[in-house]
Amino acid sequence: MIFIGKAPYRISLLGGGSDLDWFVNKNEYGLALGYSLNMYSYSVINLLPSKSKFGTLNYSSREIYKNNDEIVHPLIREAFKLVNLKALVELSTYGSASGGQGLGGSSSFLISLLSALSKVLDFDWDQKNIANKACEIEIDKLFKPIGRQDQYLSALGGISCLRFENRGKVINKTISNEKELMLRGLIKHFYLIPTNTTRKADKVLSSIKNDISSVNKLKDIRKIACDFIESKETRGHVLETNFHSSVRSSWEIKRSLSNVMNSELEDQYNFINNLIPNNWIRLLGAGGGGFFLISVKEDFQNINNILNENNLQNFKYASLSEKGSECSVY
């Protein structure tokens, strides 16, 4: 049988950074609002016959292995160890975007892999279990300085509001129907524009942690998210205005964090901001590269013409994925 695990990338809208464990542990909680993106990672597993002497792992490189301990790729190695996979396998992985793009790519890859492994071993894991296991591998085992929103936004699908508490506890909060309806309408007008620069999120996040001014800035980002999420407002046009204002305010704080922006990214930001009529534009992920997310004001045809005429052809639609992690068996 062939097992194909699938997991979406993610878009963080509000609260990003307050999901980091070091911040949560010192400041009671974190809060994030985001959604699963209609771009995916895939992990394809073929169980090899028991007489096989080695397995193969195909990702950006190719590995041949005889046991889990000698696997070089850290996420694959720790995922196999976590589920105590004894059989040798042929694994092939695919993704809609490369790592370092600010879309939660490494977590999406790991979620897809764990989704496939859970089917291989017939584990009764739901999407939240898979997200928790991914956090265990990335944060607790490999000590990556990342937060927990990527794994949950990828695994759960749709729009999610997440509260992060001490000891890795993650609560999926409910937002009002009016807020969800408003967000679903706005997402239809979101674009991703590549910076054509990749970066290691770990390096950027470590520099933020080591900057003593970061705590108060992350508190302000959390407060902006909290004010919007907890608002009792129900009028759609007011919610839309408040959301745009919240994203703009949050972005102005984030761009002041250590290593989020540089002169090249600032030039790109200003070029796009002046070129395209928009509600806001912001850099996704930890910063330092990846994609700009832009909320456009004009219709798609006009925006497409503007982007193509200015050599920005590699843009993508930042559309919503209703489904989170899943696995198909053939």
Side-chain angles (χ1 to χ4, degrees):
M1 288 188 291
I2 303 295
F3 301 83
I4 304 178
K6 177 182 177 182
Y9 293 84
R10 66 92 184 98
I11 296 289
S12 177
L13 295 172
L14 292 173
S18 71
D19 61 320
L20 296 163
D21 275 8
W22 65 264
F23 175 83
V24 172
N25 292 337
K26 291 181 179 179
N27 299 280
E28 296 185 22
Y29 72 98
L31 200 62
L33 178 67
Y35 67 93
S36 298
L37 181 63
N38 192 25
M39 295 168 57
Y40 302 91
S41 294
Y42 299 88
S43 293
V44 182
I45 295 178
N46 176 31
L47 283 175
L48 296 175
S50 58
K51 63 182 180 181
S52 300
K53 296 186 177 179
F54 59 85
T56 58
L57 309 172
N58 301 293
Y59 46 100
S60 56
S61 297
R62 177 180 170 85
E63 286 191 55
I64 295 176
Y65 76 103
K66 293 182 179 179
N67 60 70
N68 295 339
D69 287 328
E70 67 182 33
I71 294 173
V72 174
H73 194 296
L75 295 179
I76 298 174
R77 181 183 65 245
E78 295 305 322
F80 283 12
K81 284 185 176 182
L82 180 74
V83 301
N84 194 26
L85 181 66
K86 298 185 181 300
L88 293 171
V89 304
E90 180 183 19
L91 169 69
S92 295
T93 67
Y94 310 90
S96 302
S98 60
Q101 297 290 319
L103 302 176
S106 66
S107 296
S108 170
F109 160 70
L110 182 54
I111 294 290
S112 74
L113 178 57
L114 290 173
S115 297
L117 288 170
S118 69
K119 285 292 186 182
V120 169
L121 297 169
D122 199 25
F123 290 165
D124 187 23
W125 286 355
D126 62 15
Q127 292 172 325
K128 190 170 183 179
N129 289 143
I130 290 172
N132 183 57
K133 297 296 183 185
C135 290
E136 181 180 335
I137 289 172
E138 293 197 87
I139 299 171
D140 301 334
K141 297 290 185 183
L142 297 176
F143 306 106
K144 298 182 73 173
I146 62 174
R148 296 176 184 264
Q149 68 167 328
D150 290 4
Q151 300 85 351
Y152 280 82
L153 289 176
S154 173
L156 295 177
I159 298 170
S160 295
C161 178
L162 304 167
R163 179 183 169 96
F164 309 94
E165 299 184 348
N166 290 331
R167 300 182 180 179
K169 184 177 181 181
V170 181
I171 300 170
N172 192 12
K173 292 172 59 68
T174 301
I175 60 172
S176 68
N177 292 333
E178 292 84 2
K179 288 190 179 75
E180 176 146 354
L181 183 64
M182 179 274 298
L183 288 171
R184 285 179 177 275
L186 290 182
I187 288 169
K188 295 176 182 178
H189 302 278
F190 289 177
Y191 279 76
L192 292 167
I193 301 178
T195 65
N196 298 314
T197 301
T198 60
R199 81 290 180 270
K200 290 286 187 181
D202 293 7
K203 182 178 179 180
V204 178
L205 291 170
S206 292
S207 68
I208 290 173
K209 180 179 180 180
N210 294 328
D211 183 347
I212 59 175
S213 68
S214 293
V215 172
N216 286 334
K217 291 178 180 179
L218 291 177
K219 283 182 178 179
D220 290 341
I221 287 173
R222 182 184 65 182
K223 184 178 186 305
I224 291 168
C226 185
D227 287 347
F228 175 77
I229 292 164
E230 300 297 335
S231 166
K232 303 300 183 184
E233 181 61 61
T234 59
R235 293 168 294 173
H237 69 285
V238 178
L239 283 171
E240 183 174 330
T241 298
N242 291 346
F243 174 74
H244 289 321
S245 176
S246 297
V247 174
R248 286 192 293 268
S249 298
S250 185
W251 164 241
E252 288 306 317
I253 298 169
K254 178 182 175 179
R255 71 188 297 186
S256 71
L257 289 167
S258 178
N259 288 330
V260 169
M261 294 287 279
N262 56 41
S263 58
E264 181 181 352
L265 291 172
E266 289 287 356
D267 288 343
Q268 292 182 47
Y269 173 88
N270 290 328
F271 176 72
I272 296 168
N273 194 33
N274 292 328
L275 182 69
I276 302 173
N278 66 83
N279 298 299
W280 43 263
I281 175 174
R282 49 161 301 203
L283 190 64
L284 287 173
F291 281 93
F292 287 111
L293 177 68
I294 183 169
S295 169
V296 303
K297 287 184 175 179
E298 293 194 12
D299 65 68
F300 281 164
Q301 190 57 56
N302 288 342
I303 296 299
N304 291 351
N305 291 340
I306 292 172
L307 290 169
N308 286 311
E309 288 168 1
N310 288 274
N311 296 316
L312 294 171
Q313 296 98 332
N314 294 324
F315 65 88
K316 302 177 186 295
Y317 299 111
S319 53
L320 177 71
S321 171
E322 296 291 353
K323 293 183 178 181
S325 59
E326 56 185 330
C327 181
S328 302
V329 182
Y330 299 92

Short mmCIF file of all heavy atoms in Angstrom, two decimals, residues 201-252:
data_model
loop_
_atom_site.label_atom_id
_atom_site.label_comp_id
_atom_site.label_asym_id
_atom_site.label_seq_id
_atom_site.Cartn_x
_atom_site.Cartn_y
_atom_site.Cartn_z
N ALA A 201 14.57 30.72 9.55
CA ALA A 201 13.72 31.33 10.58
C ALA A 201 14.36 31.21 11.95
O ALA A 201 14.22 32.12 12.80
CB ALA A 201 12.34 30.67 10.58
N ASP A 202 15.07 30.11 12.21
CA ASP A 202 15.69 29.90 13.52
C ASP A 202 16.63 31.05 13.88
O ASP A 202 16.66 31.52 15.02
CB ASP A 202 16.49 28.59 13.53
CG ASP A 202 15.60 27.36 13.40
OD1 ASP A 202 14.38 27.54 13.16
OD2 ASP A 202 16.10 26.24 13.53
N LYS A 203 17.40 31.51 12.89
CA LYS A 203 18.35 32.60 13.14
C LYS A 203 17.64 33.89 13.48
O LYS A 203 18.03 34.61 14.42
CB LYS A 203 19.24 32.78 11.91
CG LYS A 203 20.30 33.85 12.08
CD LYS A 203 21.18 33.95 10.84
CE LYS A 203 22.23 35.06 11.01
NZ LYS A 203 23.09 35.17 9.80
N VAL A 204 16.58 34.20 12.72
CA VAL A 204 15.82 35.44 12.97
C VAL A 204 15.14 35.38 14.34
O VAL A 204 15.19 36.34 15.11
CB VAL A 204 14.77 35.67 11.86
CG1 VAL A 204 13.96 36.93 12.15
CG2 VAL A 204 15.45 35.77 10.50
N LEU A 205 14.53 34.24 14.65
CA LEU A 205 13.82 34.10 15.93
C LEU A 205 14.77 34.15 17.11
O LEU A 205 14.42 34.67 18.18
CB LEU A 205 13.01 32.80 15.93
CG LEU A 205 11.81 32.79 14.97
CD1 LEU A 205 11.23 31.38 14.87
CD2 LEU A 205 10.74 33.78 15.40
N SER A 206 15.97 33.62 16.95
CA SER A 206 16.96 33.67 18.03
C SER A 206 17.39 35.11 18.29
O SER A 206 17.57 35.51 19.45
CB SER A 206 18.18 32.81 17.67
OG SER A 206 17.84 31.44 17.64
N SER A 207 17.54 35.89 17.22
CA SER A 207 17.93 37.30 17.40
C SER A 207 16.82 38.09 18.08
O SER A 207 17.09 39.00 18.88
CB SER A 207 18.29 37.92 16.05
OG SER A 207 17.14 38.06 15.22
N ILE A 208 15.55 37.74 17.80
CA ILE A 208 14.43 38.41 18.47
C ILE A 208 14.44 38.08 19.96
O ILE A 208 14.25 38.96 20.80
CB ILE A 208 13.10 37.98 17.82
CG1 ILE A 208 12.98 38.58 16.40
CG2 ILE A 208 11.92 38.42 18.67
CD1 ILE A 208 11.79 38.07 15.63
N LYS A 209 14.69 36.83 20.29
CA LYS A 209 14.73 36.41 21.69
C LYS A 209 15.83 37.13 22.45
O LYS A 209 15.66 37.49 23.63
CB LYS A 209 14.94 34.89 21.77
CG LYS A 209 14.98 34.36 23.20
CD LYS A 209 15.16 32.85 23.22
CE LYS A 209 15.21 32.31 24.65
NZ LYS A 209 15.40 30.84 24.67
N ASN A 210 16.94 37.38 21.79
CA ASN A 210 18.10 38.00 22.45
C ASN A 210 18.02 39.52 22.49
O ASN A 210 18.88 40.16 23.09
CB ASN A 210 19.38 37.56 21.74
CG ASN A 210 19.65 36.08 21.89
OD1 ASN A 210 19.30 35.48 22.91
ND2 ASN A 210 20.27 35.47 20.89
N ASP A 211 17.00 40.09 21.88
CA ASP A 211 16.80 41.54 21.89
C ASP A 211 15.89 41.89 23.07
O ASP A 211 14.74 41.49 23.12
CB ASP A 211 16.17 41.99 20.57
CG ASP A 211 16.00 43.50 20.47
OD1 ASP A 211 16.15 44.19 21.50
OD2 ASP A 211 15.70 43.98 19.36
N ILE A 212 16.41 42.64 24.04
CA ILE A 212 15.66 42.90 25.28
C ILE A 212 14.40 43.73 25.04
O ILE A 212 13.48 43.73 25.87
CB ILE A 212 16.55 43.61 26.33
CG1 ILE A 212 17.08 44.94 25.78
CG2 ILE A 212 17.69 42.71 26.76
CD1 ILE A 212 17.85 45.74 26.83
N SER A 213 14.34 44.42 23.90
CA SER A 213 13.15 45.23 23.62
C SER A 213 12.01 44.39 23.04
O SER A 213 10.88 44.86 22.91
CB SER A 213 13.50 46.35 22.63
OG SER A 213 13.80 45.82 21.35
N SER A 214 12.29 43.11 22.72
CA SER A 214 11.30 42.28 22.03
C SER A 214 10.08 41.98 22.89
O SER A 214 8.96 41.88 22.37
CB SER A 214 11.94 40.97 21.57
OG SER A 214 12.91 41.19 20.57
N VAL A 215 10.27 41.79 24.19
CA VAL A 215 9.16 41.37 25.05
C VAL A 215 8.02 42.36 25.00
O VAL A 215 6.85 42.00 24.78
CB VAL A 215 9.62 41.16 26.50
CG1 VAL A 215 8.41 40.92 27.41
CG2 VAL A 215 10.58 39.98 26.60
N ASN A 216 8.32 43.64 25.17
CA ASN A 216 7.26 44.64 25.16
C ASN A 216 6.61 44.76 23.78
O ASN A 216 5.39 44.98 23.68
CB ASN A 216 7.82 46.00 25.59
CG ASN A 216 8.08 46.05 27.09
OD1 ASN A 216 7.45 45.33 27.87
ND2 ASN A 216 9.02 46.89 27.50
N LYS A 217 7.40 44.59 22.73
CA LYS A 217 6.83 44.65 21.38
C LYS A 217 5.89 43.46 21.13
O LYS A 217 4.83 43.62 20.53
CB LYS A 217 7.95 44.67 20.35
CG LYS A 217 8.76 45.97 20.36
CD LYS A 217 9.90 45.95 19.36
CE LYS A 217 10.67 47.25 19.40
NZ LYS A 217 11.81 47.26 18.44
N LEU A 218 6.29 42.28 21.60
CA LEU A 218 5.43 41.11 21.43
C LEU A 218 4.17 41.23 22.29
O LEU A 218 3.10 40.76 21.90
CB LEU A 218 6.19 39.83 21.78
CG LEU A 218 7.31 39.45 20.80
CD1 LEU A 218 8.03 38.20 21.28
CD2 LEU A 218 6.75 39.22 19.40
N LYS A 219 4.28 41.87 23.45
CA LYS A 219 3.09 42.13 24.26
C LYS A 219 2.13 43.04 23.51
O LYS A 219 0.90 42.84 23.55
CB LYS A 219 3.48 42.79 25.59
CG LYS A 219 4.07 41.83 26.62
CD LYS A 219 4.36 42.59 27.91
CE LYS A 219 4.90 41.66 28.99
NZ LYS A 219 5.21 42.39 30.24
N ASP A 220 2.67 44.05 22.83
CA ASP A 220 1.82 44.95 22.06
C ASP A 220 1.15 44.21 20.89
O ASP A 220 -0.04 44.43 20.60
CB ASP A 220 2.65 46.13 21.52
CG ASP A 220 3.09 47.08 22.63
OD1 ASP A 220 2.47 47.05 23.72
OD2 ASP A 220 4.06 47.83 22.41
N ILE A 221 1.90 43.33 20.22
CA ILE A 221 1.33 42.53 19.13
C ILE A 221 0.23 41.63 19.66
O ILE A 221 -0.83 41.48 19.04
CB ILE A 221 2.45 41.70 18.46
CG1 ILE A 221 3.34 42.62 17.62
CG2 ILE A 221 1.87 40.59 17.59
CD1 ILE A 221 4.56 41.95 17.03
N ARG A 222 0.46 41.03 20.83
CA ARG A 222 -0.57 40.18 21.45
C ARG A 222 -1.80 40.99 21.81
O ARG A 222 -2.94 40.52 21.61
CB ARG A 222 0.00 39.52 22.71
CG ARG A 222 -0.96 38.58 23.41
CD ARG A 222 -0.38 38.02 24.70
NE ARG A 222 -0.17 39.06 25.70
CZ ARG A 222 0.36 38.84 26.91
NH1 ARG A 222 0.75 37.61 27.24
NH2 ARG A 222 0.52 39.83 27.76
N LYS A 223 -1.62 42.19 22.33
CA LYS A 223 -2.77 43.02 22.72
C LYS A 223 -3.62 43.40 21.51
O LYS A 223 -4.86 43.41 21.58
CB LYS A 223 -2.31 44.28 23.44
CG LYS A 223 -3.46 45.14 23.96
CD LYS A 223 -2.98 46.36 24.70
CE LYS A 223 -4.16 47.10 25.34
NZ LYS A 223 -5.22 47.47 24.38
N ILE A 224 -2.96 43.71 20.39
CA ILE A 224 -3.70 44.05 19.18
C ILE A 224 -4.56 42.86 18.75
O ILE A 224 -5.74 43.01 18.41
CB ILE A 224 -2.73 44.46 18.06
CG1 ILE A 224 -2.07 45.79 18.40
CG2 ILE A 224 -3.46 44.54 16.71
CD1 ILE A 224 -0.89 46.14 17.50
N ALA A 225 -3.98 41.67 18.78
CA ALA A 225 -4.73 40.46 18.42
C ALA A 225 -5.88 40.23 19.39
O ALA A 225 -7.00 39.92 18.98
CB ALA A 225 -3.80 39.25 18.41
N CYS A 226 -5.61 40.39 20.67
CA CYS A 226 -6.63 40.17 21.70
C CYS A 226 -7.79 41.15 21.55
O CYS A 226 -8.96 40.76 21.64
CB CYS A 226 -5.99 40.29 23.09
SG CYS A 226 -7.11 39.89 24.44
N ASP A 227 -7.46 42.42 21.33
CA ASP A 227 -8.51 43.44 21.19
C ASP A 227 -9.44 43.11 20.02
O ASP A 227 -10.67 43.27 20.12
CB ASP A 227 -7.88 44.82 20.99
CG ASP A 227 -7.26 45.36 22.26
OD1 ASP A 227 -7.53 44.79 23.34
OD2 ASP A 227 -6.50 46.34 22.17
N PHE A 228 -8.87 42.65 18.91
CA PHE A 228 -9.71 42.32 17.76
C PHE A 228 -10.52 41.05 18.03
O PHE A 228 -11.73 41.01 17.79
CB PHE A 228 -8.86 42.12 16.50
CG PHE A 228 -9.67 41.67 15.33
CD1 PHE A 228 -10.47 42.54 14.63
CD2 PHE A 228 -9.67 40.32 14.95
CE1 PHE A 228 -11.26 42.12 13.56
CE2 PHE A 228 -10.45 39.88 13.88
CZ PHE A 228 -11.24 40.79 13.19
N ILE A 229 -9.87 40.02 18.54
CA ILE A 229 -10.54 38.74 18.76
C ILE A 229 -11.65 38.84 19.80
O ILE A 229 -12.72 38.25 19.66
CB ILE A 229 -9.50 37.66 19.16
CG1 ILE A 229 -8.59 37.36 17.96
CG2 ILE A 229 -10.18 36.38 19.65
CD1 ILE A 229 -7.33 36.62 18.32
N GLU A 230 -11.41 39.60 20.87
CA GLU A 230 -12.37 39.70 21.96
C GLU A 230 -13.44 40.77 21.74
O GLU A 230 -14.38 40.90 22.52
CB GLU A 230 -11.64 39.98 23.28
CG GLU A 230 -10.62 38.92 23.68
CD GLU A 230 -11.25 37.57 23.94
OE1 GLU A 230 -12.45 37.51 24.27
OE2 GLU A 230 -10.54 36.55 23.81
N SER A 231 -13.29 41.54 20.67
CA SER A 231 -14.26 42.60 20.38
C SER A 231 -15.67 42.03 20.23
O SER A 231 -15.86 40.97 19.64
CB SER A 231 -13.85 43.33 19.10
OG SER A 231 -14.91 44.13 18.62
N LYS A 232 -16.66 42.76 20.75
CA LYS A 232 -18.07 42.35 20.63
C LYS A 232 -18.74 42.90 19.38
O LYS A 232 -19.92 42.67 19.15
CB LYS A 232 -18.85 42.82 21.87
CG LYS A 232 -18.28 42.31 23.20
CD LYS A 232 -18.27 40.79 23.29
CE LYS A 232 -17.77 40.32 24.65
NZ LYS A 232 -17.67 38.83 24.70
N GLU A 233 -17.98 43.62 18.58
CA GLU A 233 -18.51 44.22 17.36
C GLU A 233 -19.04 43.14 16.41
O GLU A 233 -18.44 42.08 16.24
CB GLU A 233 -17.42 45.02 16.65
CG GLU A 233 -17.85 45.72 15.39
CD GLU A 233 -18.94 46.74 15.63
OE1 GLU A 233 -18.71 47.69 16.38
OE2 GLU A 233 -20.04 46.55 15.04
N THR A 234 -20.20 43.42 15.80
CA THR A 234 -20.80 42.45 14.88
C THR A 234 -21.03 43.03 13.48
O THR A 234 -21.31 42.27 12.55
CB THR A 234 -22.16 41.94 15.41
OG1 THR A 234 -23.04 43.06 15.59
CG2 THR A 234 -21.97 41.20 16.74
N ARG A 235 -20.93 44.34 13.33
CA ARG A 235 -21.16 44.96 12.02
C ARG A 235 -20.00 44.65 11.08
O ARG A 235 -18.85 44.95 11.40
CB ARG A 235 -21.35 46.46 12.17
CG ARG A 235 -22.63 46.86 12.92
CD ARG A 235 -22.61 48.33 13.28
NE ARG A 235 -21.57 48.63 14.26
CZ ARG A 235 -21.24 49.85 14.67
NH1 ARG A 235 -21.89 50.90 14.15
NH2 ARG A 235 -20.28 50.03 15.56
N GLY A 236 -20.31 44.07 9.95
CA GLY A 236 -19.27 43.60 9.04
C GLY A 236 -18.31 44.68 8.58
O GLY A 236 -17.09 44.46 8.57
N HIS A 237 -18.83 45.85 8.21
CA HIS A 237 -17.95 46.91 7.70
C HIS A 237 -17.03 47.46 8.78
O HIS A 237 -15.89 47.83 8.51
CB HIS A 237 -18.78 48.03 7.06
CG HIS A 237 -19.58 48.84 8.03
ND1 HIS A 237 -20.74 48.36 8.62
CD2 HIS A 237 -19.39 50.09 8.54
CE1 HIS A 237 -21.23 49.29 9.43
NE2 HIS A 237 -20.43 50.34 9.39
N VAL A 238 -17.52 47.48 10.03
CA VAL A 238 -16.68 47.95 11.14
C VAL A 238 -15.63 46.90 11.47
O VAL A 238 -14.46 47.23 11.72
CB VAL A 238 -17.54 48.25 12.39
CG1 VAL A 238 -16.66 48.69 13.55
CG2 VAL A 238 -18.57 49.33 12.07
N LEU A 239 -16.01 45.62 11.46
CA LEU A 239 -15.04 44.55 11.69
C LEU A 239 -13.93 44.59 10.65
O LEU A 239 -12.75 44.41 10.98
CB LEU A 239 -15.74 43.18 11.65
CG LEU A 239 -16.55 42.79 12.89
CD1 LEU A 239 -17.35 41.53 12.61
CD2 LEU A 239 -15.63 42.58 14.09
N GLU A 240 -14.31 44.82 9.41
CA GLU A 240 -13.31 44.88 8.34
C GLU A 240 -12.34 46.03 8.56
O GLU A 240 -11.11 45.86 8.45
CB GLU A 240 -14.01 45.04 6.99
CG GLU A 240 -13.07 45.04 5.81
CD GLU A 240 -13.80 45.05 4.49
OE1 GLU A 240 -14.92 44.52 4.41
OE2 GLU A 240 -13.23 45.59 3.51
N THR A 241 -12.88 47.20 8.92
CA THR A 241 -12.02 48.36 9.20
C THR A 241 -11.09 48.07 10.38
O THR A 241 -9.88 48.36 10.34
CB THR A 241 -12.87 49.60 9.51
OG1 THR A 241 -13.66 49.93 8.36
CG2 THR A 241 -11.99 50.79 9.88
N ASN A 242 -11.64 47.48 11.43
CA ASN A 242 -10.84 47.16 12.62
C ASN A 242 -9.76 46.12 12.31
O ASN A 242 -8.64 46.20 12.83
CB ASN A 242 -11.74 46.65 13.74
CG ASN A 242 -12.65 47.73 14.29
OD1 ASN A 242 -12.44 48.92 14.03
ND2 ASN A 242 -13.66 47.34 15.05
N PHE A 243 -10.10 45.14 11.48
CA PHE A 243 -9.12 44.12 11.14
C PHE A 243 -7.95 44.73 10.36
O PHE A 243 -6.78 44.48 10.68
CB PHE A 243 -9.77 43.01 10.31
CG PHE A 243 -8.78 41.99 9.81
CD1 PHE A 243 -8.24 41.06 10.66
CD2 PHE A 243 -8.39 41.99 8.47
CE1 PHE A 243 -7.31 40.12 10.20
CE2 PHE A 243 -7.47 41.06 8.01
CZ PHE A 243 -6.93 40.13 8.88
N HIS A 244 -8.25 45.52 9.34
CA HIS A 244 -7.19 46.16 8.56
C HIS A 244 -6.30 47.02 9.47
O HIS A 244 -5.07 46.99 9.35
CB HIS A 244 -7.78 47.02 7.45
CG HIS A 244 -8.41 46.23 6.34
ND1 HIS A 244 -7.88 45.06 5.86
CD2 HIS A 244 -9.53 46.48 5.59
CE1 HIS A 244 -8.64 44.61 4.88
NE2 HIS A 244 -9.65 45.44 4.69
N SER A 245 -6.92 47.76 10.36
CA SER A 245 -6.16 48.60 11.28
C SER A 245 -5.28 47.75 12.19
O SER A 245 -4.12 48.11 12.47
CB SER A 245 -7.12 49.46 12.12
OG SER A 245 -6.42 50.21 13.08
N SER A 246 -5.81 46.62 12.64
CA SER A 246 -5.05 45.73 13.53
C SER A 246 -3.83 45.15 12.82
O SER A 246 -2.74 45.09 13.39
CB SER A 246 -5.94 44.60 14.03
OG SER A 246 -7.01 45.10 14.81
N VAL A 247 -4.01 44.72 11.57
CA VAL A 247 -2.88 44.17 10.81
C VAL A 247 -1.82 45.23 10.58
O VAL A 247 -0.61 44.98 10.76
CB VAL A 247 -3.35 43.58 9.47
CG1 VAL A 247 -2.15 43.14 8.62
CG2 VAL A 247 -4.27 42.39 9.70
N ARG A 248 -2.24 46.44 10.21
CA ARG A 248 -1.27 47.51 9.97
C ARG A 248 -0.49 47.84 11.24
O ARG A 248 0.75 47.99 11.21
CB ARG A 248 -1.99 48.76 9.44
CG ARG A 248 -2.44 48.66 7.99
CD ARG A 248 -2.86 50.02 7.46
NE ARG A 248 -4.06 50.52 8.13
CZ ARG A 248 -5.30 50.33 7.70
NH1 ARG A 248 -5.51 49.63 6.59
NH2 ARG A 248 -6.33 50.83 8.35
N SER A 249 -1.19 47.96 12.36
CA SER A 249 -0.52 48.30 13.62
C SER A 249 0.43 47.21 14.06
O SER A 249 1.56 47.47 14.50
CB SER A 249 -1.56 48.55 14.72
OG SER A 249 -2.40 49.64 14.40
N SER A 250 -0.01 45.97 13.92
CA SER A 250 0.83 44.83 14.29
C SER A 250 2.08 44.75 13.41
O SER A 250 3.18 44.49 13.90
CB SER A 250 0.01 43.54 14.18
OG SER A 250 0.75 42.43 14.64
N TRP A 251 1.90 45.02 12.13
CA TRP A 251 3.03 44.96 11.21
C TRP A 251 4.07 46.04 11.52
O TRP A 251 5.27 45.78 11.48
CB TRP A 251 2.55 45.09 9.76
CG TRP A 251 3.66 45.43 8.80
CD1 TRP A 251 3.76 46.53 8.02
CD2 TRP A 251 4.83 44.64 8.54
NE1 TRP A 251 4.93 46.49 7.29
CE2 TRP A 251 5.59 45.33 7.59
CE3 TRP A 251 5.29 43.42 9.02
CZ2 TRP A 251 6.81 44.85 7.11
CZ3 TRP A 251 6.52 42.94 8.54
CH2 TRP A 251 7.25 43.65 7.59
N GLU A 252 3.62 47.24 11.86
CA GLU A 252 4.57 48.30 12.18
C GLU A 252 5.43 47.94 13.38
O GLU A 252 6.61 48.30 13.45
CB GLU A 252 3.83 49.62 12.43
CG GLU A 252 3.25 50.25 11.18
CD GLU A 252 4.29 50.45 10.09
OE1 GLU A 252 5.42 50.91 10.41
OE2 GLU A 252 4.00 50.15 8.92
#
